[in-house]
Amino acid sequence: MRGGRVLGALLPVLLATGCGIRATDVVEAGEPATVEVAPADQLGTLLYFVSSSSASRLMPVVRRTRSAESGDGGAVGEAGSTGAPDAVSLLFLGPTRAEHDAGLRSELPTGRTRVAVELSADGVRVTVDIPVTGLSQAARQQLICTAARARTADRSEAVTVTGTDGVIGPAHCSV
């Protein structure tokens, strides 16, 4: 009986060490993968929407704005986008039908919203004509990430949002 207990206790150890897998060195596999998110001849702006599969997971979406060869004379931001106020305004219009069908949604109130965006010594300042202090954390992050990326191409920039009922931030994009 005692021999059976010893064998039972040693069996997992013997199986784990005798599996035949040897340690190896790190294998170099080349450069990291890259993905083209918009065709090279098109400009877009980056918006952040909430994935329906998670209550707070933000997903970046490139919204096509116009062709680089269109020569329409519109203002183009540093990140190859429309201006930062336009990007935030697009965010308030919510996901397109295709984005919605892909499982994206917005926690921001939808509709036309007056938006102003400026770069200050303290970071990006966004002013909107809606209440902001009651927004969910996901909605706040949608605003913060979209504004930071549209204005500076740097999601680590501090963003302060002023609404009709107060101020949120300064805060940083969590994505």
Side-chain angles (χ1 to χ4, degrees):
M1 182 104 169
R2 183 178 170 109
R5 286 186 187 170
V6 171
L7 182 59
L10 288 177
L11 187 59
V13 174
L14 292 172
L15 289 175
T17 58
C19 63
I21 299 174
R22 288 183 260 162
T24 62
D25 291 332
V26 173
V27 177
E28 293 294 327
E31 295 295 316
T34 59
V35 176
E36 185 176 311
V37 294
D41 67 336
Q42 295 174 352
L43 298 177
T45 190
L46 196 61
L47 308 176
Y48 288 83
F49 290 110
V50 181
S51 170
S52 293
S53 64
S54 172
S56 61
R57 183 172 179 209
L58 291 187
M59 300 294 291
V61 173
V62 176
R63 270 290 169 83
R64 184 175 148 201
T65 54
R66 63 182 172 267
S67 172
E69 298 175 7
S70 68
D72 62 3
V76 177
E78 299 89 349
S81 67
T82 59
D86 294 333
V88 177
S89 293
L90 282 173
L91 184 67
F92 278 102
L93 294 178
T96 64
R97 173 58 116 183
E99 292 162 352
H100 184 267
D101 290 347
L104 298 176
R105 61 183 171 77
S106 180
E107 290 207 3
L108 291 166
T110 58
R112 300 252 180 234
T113 301
R114 206 175 305 211
V115 177
V117 181
E118 65 182 53
L119 190 58
S120 71
D122 298 325
V124 179
R125 299 188 62 78
V126 178
T127 304
V128 292
D129 65 348
I130 62 165
V132 295
T133 59
L135 294 174
S136 70
Q137 188 60 30
R140 290 175 183 219
Q141 281 297 303
Q142 281 185 263
L143 261 175
I144 290 164
C145 292
T146 299
R149 178 68 172 92
R151 183 63 182 106
T152 67
D154 180 6
R155 290 186 315 269
S156 65
E157 190 74 43
V159 176
T160 303
V161 180
T162 303
T164 58
D165 63 342
V167 177
I168 56 174
H172 298 275
C173 178
S174 65
V175 178

